C-alpha cells in the first residue's frame, strides 16, 4: 500500500547555515490493511516521515509510493486527488473551532464533490459509527478530548478513505480514553480494511494496536518487523532501551534487603502461560518460588511477560531449577545472589 | 456671538458627517485591500500554501515603508495623487486616498498576524483533505481568523478616525479640521471642546460595538 524507498528529508535551518537531517535513508513497506506503528523519541523524524505519505512534506531524496503512485512526482492537482483518499488525525485533534461537529465533517465531503443530499446522510452515518450522534450541532470547544478525537476520526474517514495517518492520536488523552480511541481505530481497520500508519512515543500504544512496527532514532530506521518479534527479541540497543521502560520493575529497597535467597528475573514469551512452568519447577525440585513482581501481557494475542521470582531452597536444587527454567523460558537472569 | 447656536450646530453636524464619510469610505477600502494584502503575505509565508520568500519580503517592505511615514507626511506626498484619482486635492474626498493607503498598510499587518495566529494544525488538517487553497481559505482560514480580524478592524477604525482628524491641517474637512480652524486658530474653545467630546464618544461607541460582536461570536462557539 505504502512503500518508502530510501527516503531522506532535510531542512535548511534558516538561522544558521546548517541542515537538519530529519529523515535519513528510510526504506519500508506498509502492507495493505495493516496497522503500522512508528515509535521513537522526540525529534526522531516520525512526523516528518508520516507527512511525506500525503505530500504535506516534500522529500529531499528517495521515493514514496502510495497505491502505485509516486507521491513526489505528482502534480498539484493529482496530489489533491490522492489526499482525498488519505485521512489524517492528530495529537491536538485540529478541528475547526468556528464550525460545528457536523460542518467539520461536511467540509471533507464538499471538497470531495459529494452531492449535498448525500452529505447529510453520510454525516449521520459517520457520527453514529463513532458514537457521537448527539453532538452533530455542537462546537468543538464544548467537547472533551476523547470526543474531539472521535469526531476527528469520523472526519478523516468521511470520504471513504483507504489510508489513515495518525500522528500521536492518544498523546493528549488519559489512559482510559486512550484505550477507547485505540479500540475505535482497531475497529476502523477491521470494518473498512483501512490501512493505518500510527506514530507514537509510547510502546504501550504499539503493543495495543500495531501489527508491524518501525523504530526510529535520529531520523534513521533502527529496526522494523512484526510487533511480537521486535518487542520480544529486539535486535538494536536503542529498541532494548525503549523496551526497558516497560519491562523493568523496581522492587522496594526494604523488600530487597529483607529477602533471603536468590532473586531471578525471568523473561517469558511463548504459546502457553508461564505459571505452570513456575509451579512445575518448584514441585519437581522441592524449592520455594515466590513471585515478587512482574507482569504478563498479550502482544498479538501471545503472552509476553517478565517475572521477578525469589528462589528458596538448597543450593543444588536451586541450580537445577534454574537450568530447567532457562530451557523452558526466554531468559533468566540472577539479579540478587544468595548471601 | 448672537445667532451662533444654530450656526454652531450646523458646523458641528457638517464636520461630523464629513468625518463619518471619510472614515467609513477609507475603512471599507482598506479592509478589503489590506485584508487581501495581509492574506497574500500569510500565504507566501506558509509552506502549506505558496511559500515565496522574495514576494513575501517585497510586500512586507512596502507595508513597512508606508507604516514608517507619519500620516501627515504621507498625506502631503499623496494628495497630488488624489487629484488623479478623485479629481480634487482638498476636502474629504481628497483625504480618502492617503487615508486608505495608510490604513491599508496598517490593517494588512494586523490581518497577516490574524491569519498567522490560526492554529497551524487546523490548516494542515484541511489542506490534507485535498481541498483547493481557495476552499480552505474561504471556509476555514477566514472563519477561524474572524475574531482576531474583527478586533483588528475595530483597532483600524479607531486609528482611521484619529488620522482623519489630522486631515484638518490640510483642509480636509471633518471634526479635526473644525477643531483646528475654529477651536485653535480662532480661540473658539467651545467648538474645540465639542469636537473632542464627539470624537471621544465615537471611539468609545465603536470599541463597545466591536467588543460586543466579538463576545457574541465567542459565546456561540
Ligand atoms: N519545518 C521544519 N523546519 C525545520 N526543521 C524541522 C521542521 N520540521 C521538523 N524539523 C526538525 O526535524 C526533526 C524531526 O522532527 P519531527 O517533527 O519529524 O520529529 P518527531 O519524531 O515527530 O518528534 P515529536 O515526537 O517531538 O513529534 C527535528 O529535529 C525537527 O526540529
Ligand atoms: Mg511529531
Amino acid at each position: 500500500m505504502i512503500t518508502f524507498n530510501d527516503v531522506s528529508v532535510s531542512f535548511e535551518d534558516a538561522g544558521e547555515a546548517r541542515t537538519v537531517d530529519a529523515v535519513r535513508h528510510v526504506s519500508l513497506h506498509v502492507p495493505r490493511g495493516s496497522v503500522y506503528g512508528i515509535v521513537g523519541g522526540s525529534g526522531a523524524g516520525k512526523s516528518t516521515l508520516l507527512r511525506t505519505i500525503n505530500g504535506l512534506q516534500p522529500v529531499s531524496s528517495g521515493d514514496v509510493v502510495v497505491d502505485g503512485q509516486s507521491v513526489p512526482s505528482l502534480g498539484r492537482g493529482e496530489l489533491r486527488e490522492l489526499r482525498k483518499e488519505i485521512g489524517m488525525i492528530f495529537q491536538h485533534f485540529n478541528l475547526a473551532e468556528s464550525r460545528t461537529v457536523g460542518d467539520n465533517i461536511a467540509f471533507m465531503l464538499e471538497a470531495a464533490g459529494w452531492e449535498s443530499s448525500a452529505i447529510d446522510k453520510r454525516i449521520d452515518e459517520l457520527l453514529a459509527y463513532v458514537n457521537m450522534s448527539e453532538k452533530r450541532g455542537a462546537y468543538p470547544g464544548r467537547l472533551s478530548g476523547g470526543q474531539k478525537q472521535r469526531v476527528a476520526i469520523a472526519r478523516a474517514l468521511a470520504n471513504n478513505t483507504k489510508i489513515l495517518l495518525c500522528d500521536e492520536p492518544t498523546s493528549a488523552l488519559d489512559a482510559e480514553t486512550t484505550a477507547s480511541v485505540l479500540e475505535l481505530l482497531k475497529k476502523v481497520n477491521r470494518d473498512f480494511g483501512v490501512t493505518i500508519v500510527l506514530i507514537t512515543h509510547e510502546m504501550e500504544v504499539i503493543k495495543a494496536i500495531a501489527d508491524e512496527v518501525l523504530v526510529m532514532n535520529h531520523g534513521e530506521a533502527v529496526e522494523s518487523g512484526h510487533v511480537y518479534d521486535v518487542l520480544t527479541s529486539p535486535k538494536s540497543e536503542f529498541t532494548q532501551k525503549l523496551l526497558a521502560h516497560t519491562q523493568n520493575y523496581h522492587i522496594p529497597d526494604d523488600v530487597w534487603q529483607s529477602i533471603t535467597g536468590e532473586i531471578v528475573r525471568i523473561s517469558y514469551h511463548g504459546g502457553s502461560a508461564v505459571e505452570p512452568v513456575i509451579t512445575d519447577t518448584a514441585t519437581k525440585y522441592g524449592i520455594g518460588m515466590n513471585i515478587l513482581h512482574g507482569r504478563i501481557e498479550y502482544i498479538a494475542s501471545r503472552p509476553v511477560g517478565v517475572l521477578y521470582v525469589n528462589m528458596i531452597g538448597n543450593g543444588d536444587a536451586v541450580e537445577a531449577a534454574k537450568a530447567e527454567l532457562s530451557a523452558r523460558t526466554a531468559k533468566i537472569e540472577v539479579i540478587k545472589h544468595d548471601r | 456671538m448672537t445667532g451662533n447656536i444654530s450656526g454652531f450646530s450646523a458646523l458641528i453636524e457638517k464636520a461630523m458627517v464629513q468625518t463619518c464619510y471619510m472614515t467609513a469610505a477609507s475603512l471599507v477600502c482598506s479592509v478589503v485591500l489590506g485584508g487581501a494584502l495581509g492574506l497574500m503575505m500569510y500565504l507566501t509565508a506558509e509552506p502549506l500554501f505558496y511559500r515565496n520568500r522574495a514576494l513575501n519580503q517585497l510586500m512586507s517592505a512596502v507595508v513597512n515603508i508606508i507604516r514608517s511615514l507619519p500620516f501627515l507626511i504621507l498625506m502631503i506626498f499623496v494628495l497630488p495623487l488624489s487629484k488623479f484619482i478623485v479629481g480634487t486635492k482638498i476636502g474629504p474626498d481628497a483625504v480618502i486616498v492617503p487615508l486608505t493607503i495608510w490604513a491599508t498598510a496598517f490593517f494588512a499587518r494586523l490581518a497577516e498576524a490574524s491569519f498567522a495566529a490560526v492554529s497551524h494544525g487546523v490548516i494542515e488538517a484541511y489542506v490534507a483533505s485535498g481541498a483547493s487553497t481557495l476552499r480552505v481559505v474561504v471556509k476555514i482560514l477566514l472563519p477561524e481568523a474572524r475574531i482576531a480580524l474583527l478586533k483588528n478592524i475595530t483597532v483600524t477604525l479607531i486609528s482611521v478616525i484619529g488620522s482623519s482628524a489630522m486631515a484638518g491641517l490640510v483642509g480636509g474637512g471633518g471634526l479635526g479640521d473644525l477643531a483646528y480652524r475654529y477651536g485653535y486658530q480662532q480661540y473658539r474653545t467651545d467648538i474645540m471642546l465639542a469636537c473632542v467630546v464627539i470624537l471621544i464618544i465615537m471611539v468609545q461607541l465603536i470599541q463597545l460595538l466591536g467588543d460586543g460582536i466579538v463576545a457574541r461570536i465567542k459565546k456561540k462557539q
Side-chain angles (χ1 to χ4, degrees):
Chain A
M1 190 77 192
I2 304 166
T3 307
F4 297 91
N5 285 324
D6 198 27
V7 171
S8 296
V9 179
S10 40
F11 295 104
E12 305 291 331
D13 204 318
E16 303 135 65
R18 71 192 178 94
T19 58
V20 179
D21 295 319
V23 175
R24 307 174 203 225
H25 304 287
V26 172
S27 294
L28 193 72
H29 177 70
V30 178
R32 188 180 298 271
S34 65
V35 179
Y36 210 110
I38 301 177
V39 66
S42 188
K46 307 182 293 294
S47 299
T48 306
L49 184 69
L50 188 79
R51 294 164 80 259
T52 64
I53 297 172
N54 59 359
L56 286 177
Q57 175 62 57
V59 301
S60 305
S61 69
D63 196 10
V64 182
V65 181
V66 176
D67 216 1
Q69 288 178 290
S70 162
V71 179
S73 56
L74 293 179
R76 256 192 131 88
E78 295 166 312
L79 187 57
R80 287 221 307 268
E81 287 311 308
L82 177 70
R83 283 176 181 166
K84 288 174 186 165
E85 305 191 334
I86 305 178
M88 199 168 185
I89 61 170
F90 307 83
Q91 178 174 7
H92 297 297
F93 326 118
N94 297 346
L95 300 172
E97 301 272 317
S98 59
R99 295 183 149 238
T100 61
V101 163
D103 289 345
N104 265 279
I105 299 172
F107 180 98
M108 301 312 213
L109 298 166
E110 288 162 10
W114 287 53
E115 299 280 338
S116 54
S117 52
I119 288 179
D120 196 54
K121 207 172 133 254
R122 178 69 176 150
I123 294 173
D124 278 340
E125 197 177 290
L126 287 158
L127 287 176
Y129 185 77
V130 299
N131 247 324
M132 290 290 295
S133 292
E134 73 286 14
K135 297 289 185 189
R136 179 168 173 165
Y139 283 89
R142 305 280 163 85
L143 304 182
S144 71
Q147 291 176 323
K148 284 184 194 173
Q149 198 62 293
R150 284 172 176 275
V151 172
I153 290 171
R155 179 181 66 172
L157 297 174
N159 190 37
N160 293 311
T161 26
K162 295 182 194 159
I163 298 175
L164 181 59
L165 308 179
C166 313
D167 193 344
E168 310 245 9
T170 58
S171 300
L173 304 175
D174 63 43
E176 199 179 320
T177 318
T178 292
S180 82
V181 165
L182 292 178
E183 212 42 62
L184 177 59
L185 289 174
K186 262 198 225 170
K187 190 161 159 276
V188 164
N189 172 254
R190 268 199 317 267
D191 293 352
F192 309 120
V194 173
T195 307
I196 296 183
V197 184
L198 181 142
I199 290 180
T200 180
H201 57 261
E202 289 168 283
M203 272 297 179
E204 294 304 322
V205 172
I206 296 289
K207 287 178 193 168
I209 189 169
D211 302 318
E212 293 186 51
V213 63
L214 165 73
V215 182
M216 280 187 85
N217 188 26
H218 296 305
E220 285 172 19
V222 174
E223 70 182 284
S224 62
H226 285 280
V227 171
Y228 190 83
D229 300 337
V230 172
L231 266 55
T232 53
S233 30
K235 292 186 195 70
S236 81
E237 205 174 309
F238 180 75
T239 314
Q240 285 162 13
K241 248 184 5 209
L242 267 187
L243 285 168
H245 281 295
T246 63
Q247 292 178 347
N248 278 343
Y249 299 91
H250 178 71
I251 296 172
D253 285 343
D254 47 346
V255 176
W256 182 272
Q257 297 298 341
S258 65
I259 275 175
T260 55
E262 275 183 2
I263 301 178
V264 295
R265 180 178 185 278
I266 301 171
S267 305
Y268 179 83
H269 16 99
S272 54
V274 64
E275 285 93 343
V277 180
I278 305 272
T279 28
D280 281 0
T281 313
T283 324
K284 186 165 166 190
Y285 297 97
I287 59 170
M289 287 183 69
N290 293 330
I291 296 174
L292 301 174
H293 210 328
R295 180 158 77 134
I296 298 163
E297 57 190 337
Y298 292 82
I299 300 171
S301 309
R302 287 149 81 186
V304 175
V306 171
L307 293 178
Y308 289 74
V309 177
N310 178 207
M311 304 182 79
I312 309 149
N314 97 31
D316 293 341
V318 167
E319 284 313 309
K322 269 157 57 184
E324 167 130 8
L325 284 172
S326 167
R328 293 178 66 180
T329 63
K331 192 165 151 198
I332 169 164
E333 302 153 88
V334 178
I335 58 170
K336 187 187 181 210
H337 290 278
D338 201 1
R339 279 169 300 187
Chain B
M1 301 261 287
T2 48
N4 259 359
I5 291 299
S6 70
F8 180 94
S9 66
L11 273 176
I12 298 271
E13 196 184 310
K14 183 168 172 242
M16 253 179 81
V17 169
Q18 285 179 334
T19 289
C20 289
Y21 168 65
M22 284 188 287
T23 307
S26 354
L27 181 79
V28 170
C29 297
S30 61
V31 164
V32 172
L33 297 173
L37 185 57
L39 180 62
M40 289 201 294
M41 290 200 284
Y42 166 78
L43 293 176
T44 52
E46 176 54 67
L48 287 171
F49 295 114
Y50 303 105
R51 189 181 173 89
N52 182 328
R53 271 180 82 86
L55 195 57
N56 182 267
Q57 288 183 343
L58 177 73
M59 288 187 287
S60 180
V62 170
V63 165
N64 283 346
I65 288 169
I66 296 173
R67 292 201 58 192
S68 55
L69 295 176
F71 179 64
L72 200 59
I73 308 293
L74 178 80
M75 200 158 50
I76 291 164
F77 276 131
V78 170
L79 279 177
L81 186 72
S82 294
K83 194 148 174 61
F84 278 107
I85 300 176
V86 291
T88 174
K89 274 176 62 169
I90 53 165
D93 282 331
V95 170
I96 287 173
V97 176
L99 210 49
T100 298
I101 292 176
W102 178 84
T104 294
F106 186 86
F107 185 63
R109 199 48 99 194
L110 296 179
E112 182 203 19
S114 309
F115 295 131
V118 171
S119 156
H120 186 266
V122 171
I123 297 304
E124 183 168 89
Y126 283 98
V127 169
S129 76
S132 66
T133 299
L134 182 66
R135 191 183 285 271
V136 176
V137 166
V138 173
K139 300 235 164 170
I140 304 295
L141 182 69
L142 289 175
E144 290 290 294
R146 67 189 168 175
I147 290 178
L149 285 172
L150 275 169
K151 284 184 183 168
N152 286 327
I153 288 173
T154 310
V155 170
T156 306
L157 177 53
I158 289 170
S159 302
V160 168
I161 292 177
S163 299
S164 81
M166 234 186 278
L169 297 180
V170 293
L175 288 166
D177 191 19
L178 191 65
Y180 181 66
R181 278 191 293 136
Y182 287 73
Y184 178 68
Q185 290 180 332
Q186 298 181 21
Y187 306 106
R188 284 289 302 270
T189 317
D190 53 345
I191 291 190
M192 170 87 91
L193 214 67
C195 289
V196 169
V197 169
I198 290 171
L199 284 171
I200 290 174
I201 291 172
M202 277 173 80
V203 168
Q204 295 289 355
L205 285 180
I206 289 165
Q207 189 66 56
L208 268 175
L209 183 71
D211 291 348
I213 296 173
V214 166
R216 271 191 62 172
I217 295 175
K218 274 193 178 159
K219 205 175 145 195
K220 200 179 96 189
Q221 75 181 31

